[in-house]
Amino acid sequence: QITLTQQAESLWISPGERVSITCRASQSLLYTDGKHYLSWYQQRPGQTTKALIYHASVRTDGVPTRFIGSGSGTEFTLSIEHVQPEDFAIYYCLQTLKSPWTFGGGTKLELK
Amino acid sequence: EIQLQESGPGLVKPSQSLSLTCSVTGYTITSGYDWSWIRKFPGNKMEWMGYISNSGSTNYNPSLKIRISITRDTSKNQFFLQLNSVTTEDTATYYCARRKLRRDYFDYWGQGVMVTVSS
């Protein structure tokens, strides 16, 4: 199965800063259709899990433009510009290229 | 508005079966998409467990294949998880979620239900 590694379990940042969360895959997530099957999710206490990005770089409907997905092959990044108080949460990457679909270990954004 | 809601016992004894229900409102589960169970362990590790498609076919994580069954009741617009022979390592928060096909991401999730396996 494909392993996704999110190196940082926690990142401490202040509101207004920019942060990048990385996700490394054990093999390329590029499919023959030219798309990368990598998505990003946000989990906040008391809220349902929210999809932020799909196909590595496409924001889902309604997601603020400060959330930016990038990367290709095996290396992917979720960047958040000008972090807002509501962005302090846990973030996961997920690959759906090959079953079993697998998640990264999660990165918790914490208030510095 | 599409909503998914998990329900089931919060405590299960070791060696018994865990049974959960996901009730879907606002969308008919036979209309499209596939419907997954996902769990989050203490410590935040997430695991995709399996799905049932809109046509009723299933796909399971091989790590669970001999213990898991996902079924549905289309008349009630619900789908179900059964996990047999549970151990304390199955203690987790269980989520149901809808996967948006082609765009290939989970667009709707339930709130999750915490299940503890303990004697």
Side-chain angles (χ1 to χ4, degrees), chain B residues 22-33:
Chain B
C22 182
S23 300
V24 181
T25 55
Y27 193 84
T28 304
I29 61 174
T30 56
S31 294
Y33 302 88

Side-chain angles (χ1 to χ4, degrees), chain A residues 6 21 41-42 52 67 78 80 87 89-92 106-107 109:
Chain A
Q6 292 180 242
I21 299 169
Y41 300 84
Q42 178 193 63
L52 301 172
F67 290 92
L78 173 69
I80 312 172
D87 299 337
I90 303 176
Y91 293 85
Y92 292 92
T107 298
L109 238 48

